[in-house]
Amino acid sequence: MIPTAPGTAALVLFSGGQDSTTCLFWAKKHFERVEALGFNYGQKHQVELEQALLIAQKADVPFHVMDVGGLLQGSSLTEHHKAMDSPHEQNQNLPASFVPGRNALFLTIAASWGYTRQIHDLVGGMCQTDYSGYPDCRRVFVDSLQTTASLALDQDVRIHTPLMYLTKAETWKLAKDLGVLEIVRDMSHTDYNGNRSTYNEWGYGELDNPASILRARGWEEAAKGWV
C-alpha cells in the first residue's frame, strides 16, 4: 500500500533500530512529508532513542518522543533484572523480550497523534517473516488495529509495513537499494543490552540477545550476494 498522490504525509514509528531506520528512509522515498515518533517506555536499551535522534537529524525529519514509562511491563526490556535469553514468564513460546501490548499502544498513540497533524498514514517496522515471534508483529494484528483506529477516528488510517514479508537479509538489501546501508549499519541500534562499544561488520552490539543475532544473521546472508 504505497501512496501516489502528491502532498501525502507519513508518521514513522521510530525506535532507532535497523527496521525502523530502514522504514524511515522508505517513507522519505514514498511520502512528501515525513515525521518520526519514538517512545520512551523504560526500555533497557535507552541508547536506541539517542541514536534515533541522530538518525532523524541525518534524515532531516522531525523527531518527537512520547514518554509512556510505566505503562508497559512484563518483559526483560522493562524489568532490567530479567534474563534476556529466557522464555517469557507468561508464554514459554515467546522470548523474555516480548513486551505485552507494545505495538497496540504505540500504534494507537501514533494514530491519535497523527490525527491532530493531519497525518493518516503510519509506517512501522513490524515483520512476521524473520523475527522473534512477537504476536503483535503479524499483519493480521496490524490490519485489526488499522480497522479499529479508522473507526475510532472516523477517518481512514493506513498502516504501512514495508518489511512485513521480508527476511532480515532482504531488509538489509532494501537499505542498500535506498542508498542508506551505511547509515543503517553504523547508526541504527538493535542490541537489547544497549552495547555500542563493540563494532562488527553488521554494526554495533554483541551476540548475546535475539535482536543482535537476527541482525547479524541477516547481514551475513545479504553480504553473500554483494561479493
Side-chain angles (χ1 to χ4, degrees):
M1 194 164 35
I2 299 175
T4 56
T8 54
L11 178 62
V12 179
L13 280 71
F14 189 48
S15 70
Q18 174 190 355
D19 293 345
S20 67
T21 300
T22 304
C23 286
L24 182 72
F25 286 96
W26 177 91
K28 281 179 64 67
K29 178 179 179 180
H30 293 291
F31 292 86
E32 189 173 279
R33 177 167 65 95
V34 175
E35 297 192 31
L37 183 64
F39 297 90
N40 180 5
Y41 62 96
Q43 60 267 50
K44 186 175 183 179
H45 49 310
Q46 281 278 326
V47 67
E48 70 172 11
L49 289 178
E50 299 172 10
Q51 293 305 120
L53 175 60
L54 295 175
I55 295 166
Q57 291 172 340
K58 182 84 172 178
D60 194 26
V61 169
F63 179 52
H64 319 271
V65 177
M66 191 73 66
D67 189 348
V68 294
L71 295 182
L72 296 171
Q73 301 178 18
S75 168
S76 57
L77 294 184
T78 55
E79 280 89 73
H80 302 173
H81 63 282
K82 294 180 179 178
M84 194 67 67
D85 57 355
S86 301
H88 197 276
E89 58 193 20
Q90 300 296 331
N91 187 338
Q92 296 293 299
N93 295 318
L94 295 174
S97 55
F98 172 60
V99 184
R102 179 173 58 177
N103 283 341
L105 177 66
F106 289 0
L107 285 168
T108 300
I109 291 174
S112 173
W113 197 87
Y115 180 88
T116 65
R117 289 157 179 77
Q118 297 184 323
I119 302 176
H120 310 296
D121 287 274
L122 311 180
V123 180
M126 301 83 177
C127 171
Q128 67 178 43
T129 301
D130 199 354
Y131 71 132
S132 297
Y134 300 159
D136 58 354
C137 285
R138 298 173 297 173
R139 185 66 218 188
V140 64
F141 159 73
V142 175
D143 287 342
S144 173
L145 203 292
Q146 177 175 274
T147 298
T148 298
S150 297
L151 290 170
L153 298 174
D154 195 26
Q155 192 161 34
D156 284 344
V157 173
R158 294 169 293 274
I159 304 177
H160 306 267
T161 53
L163 311 183
M164 181 58 70
Y165 304 112
L166 302 186
T167 65
K168 271 290 183 284
E170 290 169 332
T171 298
W172 280 116
K173 184 179 183 302
L174 176 58
K176 189 173 188 292
D177 291 343
L178 291 169
V180 293
L181 181 63
E182 289 75 19
I183 292 175
V184 175
R185 182 191 62 199
D186 297 341
M187 296 186 71
S188 72
H189 183 85
T190 298
D191 189 285
Y192 280 158
N193 290 314
N195 185 302
R196 287 196 70 79
S197 60
T198 303
Y199 182 74
N200 312 276
E201 60 181 357
W202 44 268
Y204 287 93
E206 296 279 0
L207 296 177
D208 58 359
N209 62 94
S212 287
I213 291 171
L214 282 172
R215 176 175 174 138
R217 286 176 180 171
W219 173 273
E220 183 179 0
E221 181 182 342
K224 291 178 182 177
W226 301 338
V227 177

